[in-house]
């Protein structure tokens, strides 16, 4: 079945630095990918919809200048957390629709970001 | 490691009929459990969640789910489905440091 990967799976960085998280669809093309974040023991929150070849669509309350999304190809979307702060520490997950028949979503394994 | 199984890939239900979507999990401690719904082209929407307390939880859109520890299950139910309920449904377990793990989803089809 379709697979979505994320890299890195864990990242620890210093406050003020930027971190890039990659989301790849390994055996299918995805014109759209979704980025979520999850705080411990809380529900997943949709951050933005990444669109190949155009600007991402951000959910209300999500700072687009802080969470930069680039969907450069049909198999890769990146989320860059700029000038990270400890409150950005979270679990970030991406998903992509397979585009096959039922429009099933496939989730990446997630990236845990810890900002010191 | 935690895991989530949704044994039904597709389910077809007639409009007005009752619905039950199955979810089984594997986790060493008391889990935090979620059900999400996703309409085509949309992001996930939280239907309901279980953290502790009453094992029967009520969610949005008339959905409910029951946590059964003895069966490691968290099945989603609705007494009467509407055509607008046609979507993909995901069960998820929060394993703390291991993050959120999703089931593969159940595609719900509503027949007129």
């Amino acid at each position: 079945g379709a697979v979505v990967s994320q890299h890195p799976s864990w990242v620890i960085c210093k406050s003020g630095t930027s971190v890039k998280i990659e989301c790849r669809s390994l055996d299918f093309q995805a014109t759209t990918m979704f980025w979520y974040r999850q705080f411990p023991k809380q529900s997943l929150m949709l951050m933005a919809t990444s669109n190949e070849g155009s600007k991402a669509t951000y959910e209300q309350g999500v700072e687009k200048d802080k969470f930069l999304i680039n969907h450069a190809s049909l198999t890769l979307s990146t989320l860059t957390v700029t000038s990270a702060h400890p409150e950005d520490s979270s679990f970030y997950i991406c998903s992509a629709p397979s585009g096959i028949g039922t429009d099933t979503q496939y989730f990446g394994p997630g990236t845990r970001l810890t900002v010191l | 490691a935690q895991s989530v199984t949704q044994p039904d890939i597709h389910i077809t239900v007639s409009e007005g009929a009752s619905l039950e979507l199955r979810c089984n999990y594997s986790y060493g401690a008391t889990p935090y459990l979620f059900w999400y719904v996703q309409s085509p082209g949309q992001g996930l929407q939280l239907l309901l969640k279980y953290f502790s307390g009453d094992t029967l939880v009520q969610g949005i859109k008339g959905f409910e789910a029951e946590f059964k520890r003895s069966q490691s299950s968290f099945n989603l139910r609705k007494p009467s489905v509407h055509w607008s309920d046609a979507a993909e449904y995901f069960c998820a377990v929060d394993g703390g440091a291991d993050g959120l793990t999703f089931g593969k989803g159940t595609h719900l089809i509503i027949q007129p």
Side-chain angles (χ1 to χ4, degrees):
Chain A
V3 176
V4 173
S5 70
Q6 280 184 242
H7 177 80
S9 54
W10 287 83
V11 58
I12 301 173
C13 68
K14 292 183 178 180
S15 184
T17 61
S18 295
V19 175
K20 180 184 285 188
I21 302 170
E22 295 183 347
C23 176
R24 292 184 185 271
S25 55
L26 296 186
D27 51 2
F28 66 100
Q29 294 181 332
T31 56
T32 300
M33 291 184 177
F34 299 97
W35 284 97
Y36 304 86
R37 70 184 295 184
Q38 188 219 4
F39 294 102
K41 307 304 183 186
Q42 296 187 28
S43 173
L44 207 62
M45 182 188 79
L46 177 65
M47 298 176 66
T49 303
S50 172
N51 304 298
E52 189 269 335
S54 64
K55 291 182 179 180
T57 304
Y58 290 82
E59 296 299 301
Q60 191 172 9
V62 178
E63 300 175 62
K64 60 182 180 182
D65 294 330
K66 180 170 184 62
F67 298 99
L68 301 179
I69 291 174
N70 183 22
H71 197 143
S73 76
L74 289 171
T75 59
L76 173 64
S77 174
T78 60
L79 169 68
T80 301
V81 183
T82 62
S83 186
H85 290 282
E87 57 266 29
D88 298 324
S89 298
S90 189
F91 193 65
Y92 293 86
I93 301 176
C94 70
S95 74
S98 68
I100 302 172
T102 62
D103 197 26
T104 299
Q105 288 284 328
Y106 293 92
F107 292 92
T111 297
R112 180 161 299 285
L113 169 63
T114 301
V115 184
L116 303 177
Chain B
Q2 69 222 37
S3 66
V4 177
T5 302
Q6 292 180 247
D8 304 306
I9 299 175
H10 300 274
I11 280 188
T12 301
V13 177
S14 297
E15 190 169 13
S18 63
L19 170 70
E20 181 170 40
L21 302 182
R22 296 184 290 167
C23 173
N24 293 96
Y25 67 89
S26 173
Y27 183 62
T30 299
Y32 286 23
L33 296 161
F34 304 85
W35 272 101
Y36 291 89
V37 61
Q38 185 163 40
S39 299
Q42 304 293 317
L44 290 175
Q45 180 182 23
L46 178 68
L47 283 176
L48 47 79
K49 60 188 177 185
Y50 171 78
F51 284 177
S52 64
D54 193 346
T55 57
L56 183 64
V57 293
Q58 302 297 320
I60 62 171
K61 302 185 179 185
F63 286 92
E64 66 177 27
E66 186 171 12
F67 170 59
K68 293 185 177 180
R69 185 187 302 276
S70 61
Q71 298 177 17
S72 297
S73 69
F74 189 56
N75 294 347
L76 181 71
R77 301 194 294 251
K78 186 171 184 177
S80 177
V81 298
H82 186 262
W83 65 266
S84 60
D85 293 325
E88 192 84 13
Y89 291 81
F90 294 92
C91 180
V93 60
D94 186 332
D98 293 331
L100 202 63
T101 299
F102 284 88
K104 293 189 181 300
T106 297
H107 187 74
L108 176 62
I109 300 168
I110 307 296
Q111 282 184 335

